[in-house]
């Protein structure tokens, strides 16, 4: 969750927002004096010729955070949703994403990147039961999110990319579960995604042997495509076009043969670059 993609570069562009799925609370809901926020802002904007760099940086960041918090809280509090989002962790997160997206004009942005998480997939025991429950939960949340995006007329300029840092073994353990693996699958969806198909190489042999270069013990499969495969086309769709910029956001890209990567034309239908 700390990639440049999400956090930006120090000193370059606006800082990121980190929100609870329940929204923002007042910065100082119970101040000891009525104008406490004004006093804090005044103290932290009192620059003098001998102000230290560290102090100036700290003060400017605090002032910036207070102003942005007030602005975003006001804007988010004035939004609403029409879809029935489930009362689950991922459901509440996607509901908040859909509300923040409605504030983009007030925030002066054309593009946003959101990061949400859904846990419970480290299924070392009872994998079948857990997956049935987890898939039902994520399906309900995504269904509501897609419905809301269509209502807001944002679906064509929205792409959801799912990923995990590791996969699972294909052979079960003694607890009817699966353990940590390597190669896995990911999915993406969106109004501009050229979906309905599976990309990549599906193994025809899952057994470890001297003649099988991608199978390890207990069904741990070596990836045939790099992490960057789906991110290349996604980055291009997002508006990153030059090779220099692509190499910056995907620094490992140059290490892989182009035949292992998916360009924008492989992942998306022909349309204008995303602008929302």
């Amino acid at each position: 969750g700390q990639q440049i993609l999400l956090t930006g570069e120090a000193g370059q562009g606006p800082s990121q927002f980190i929100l609870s799925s329940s929204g923002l609370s007042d910065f100082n809901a119970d101040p000891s004096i009525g104008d406490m926020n004004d006093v804090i802002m005044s103290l932290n904007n009192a620059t003098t010729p001998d102000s230290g760099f560290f102090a100036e940086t700290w003060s400017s960041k605090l002032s910036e955070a207070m102003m942005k918090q007030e602005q975003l809280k006001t804007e988010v509090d004035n939004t609403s949703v029409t879809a029935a989002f489930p009362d689950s962790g991922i459901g509440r997160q996607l509901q908040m994403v859909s509300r923040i997206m409605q504030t983009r004009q007030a925030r002066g942005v054309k593009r946003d990147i959101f990061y949400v998480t859904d846990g419970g997939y480290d299924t070392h025991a009872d994998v079948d039961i857990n997956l049935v429950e987890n898939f039902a939960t994520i399906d309900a949340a995504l269904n509501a999110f897609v419905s809301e995006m269509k209502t807001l007329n944002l679906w064509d300029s929205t792409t959801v990319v799912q990923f995990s840092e590791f996969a699972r073994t294909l052979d079960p353990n003694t607890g009817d579960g699966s353990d940590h693996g390597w190669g896995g699958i990911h999915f993406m969806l969106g109004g501009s995604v050229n979906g309905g198909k599976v990309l990549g190489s599906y193994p025809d042999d899952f057994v470890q042997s001297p003649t099988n270069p991608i199978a390890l013990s207990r069904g741990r499969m070596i990836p045939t495509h790099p992490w960057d495969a789906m991110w290349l086309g996604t980055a291009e769709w997002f508006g990153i076009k030059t090779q220099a910029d692509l190499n910056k956001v995907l620094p490992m890209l140059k290490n892989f043969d182009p035949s292992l990567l998916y360009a924008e034309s492989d992942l998306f239908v022909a349309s204008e670059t995303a602008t929302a």
Side-chain angles (χ1 to χ4, degrees):
Q2 295 300 315
Q3 297 91 342
I4 291 179
L5 173 75
L6 300 176
T7 64
E9 289 184 289
Q12 301 292 321
S15 57
Q16 76 273 25
F17 291 102
I18 301 175
L19 275 74
S20 165
S21 59
S22 59
L24 290 91
S25 58
D26 290 322
F27 174 75
N28 195 0
D30 188 24
S32 56
I33 58 175
D35 61 345
M36 177 63 78
N37 286 6
D38 292 335
V39 171
I40 294 174
M41 292 292 288
S42 177
L43 288 172
N44 283 279
N45 285 310
T47 301
T48 63
D50 60 347
S51 294
F53 179 77
F54 178 85
E56 284 288 296
T57 302
W58 192 92
S59 294
S60 66
K61 289 299 182 182
L62 176 61
S63 300
E64 177 188 13
M66 290 178 65
M67 290 186 294
K68 286 187 174 181
Q69 194 271 351
E70 181 179 2
Q71 177 199 23
L72 188 59
K73 175 174 171 52
T74 300
E75 296 297 332
V76 170
D77 286 351
N78 288 326
T79 64
S80 61
V81 297
T82 60
F85 283 85
D87 187 23
S88 62
I90 188 62
R92 291 188 294 272
Q93 289 177 75
L94 290 176
Q95 182 183 50
M96 181 52 60
V97 167
S98 69
R99 294 178 64 185
I100 300 172
M101 292 174 77
Q102 298 176 51
T103 71
R104 63 195 183 282
Q105 291 183 342
R107 291 182 290 114
V109 300
K110 292 184 177 181
R111 296 176 177 85
D112 274 317
I113 296 174
F114 300 96
Y115 177 73
V116 300
T117 63
D118 187 36
Y121 294 88
D122 197 12
T123 51
H124 290 284
D126 301 320
V127 60
D128 288 345
I129 297 173
N130 284 313
L131 284 186
V132 169
E133 295 177 352
N134 290 343
F135 286 170
T137 298
I138 190 68
D139 182 69
L142 286 173
N143 185 64
F145 181 71
V146 172
S147 175
E148 188 65 24
M149 290 299 99
K150 290 180 178 178
T151 299
L152 296 172
N153 198 30
L154 291 175
W155 183 231
D156 286 347
S157 55
T158 299
T159 296
V160 179
V161 180
Q162 172 274 334
F163 61 91
S164 175
E165 68 271 31
F166 57 85
R168 313 299 300 182
T169 57
L170 300 179
D171 290 351
N173 58 30
T174 56
D176 293 327
S178 62
D179 298 317
H180 296 180
W182 192 357
I185 58 174
H186 308 281
F187 67 81
M188 60 189 300
L189 62 152
S192 297
V193 173
N194 186 13
K197 54 187 177 181
V198 178
L199 301 179
S201 303
Y202 191 83
D204 56 9
D205 184 0
F206 299 93
V207 179
Q208 183 181 24
S209 71
T211 60
N212 190 344
I214 64 171
L216 303 177
S217 63
R218 293 195 50 214
R220 290 183 174 92
M221 309 304 293
I222 298 176
T224 58
H225 287 68
W227 177 258
D228 306 71
M230 64 178 179
W231 287 117
L232 172 59
T234 304
E236 290 176 331
W237 172 83
F238 199 66
I240 303 172
K241 299 296 187 180
T242 70
Q243 194 60 53
D245 288 340
L246 288 170
N247 288 338
K248 185 171 185 177
V249 299
L250 297 171
M252 301 298 290
L253 187 66
K254 59 182 178 295
N255 296 332
F256 301 106
D257 189 280
S259 64
L260 299 177
L261 305 172
Y262 303 124
E264 180 181 8
S265 58
D266 298 315
L267 302 179
F268 296 89
V269 295
S271 63
E272 295 182 0
T273 299
T275 57

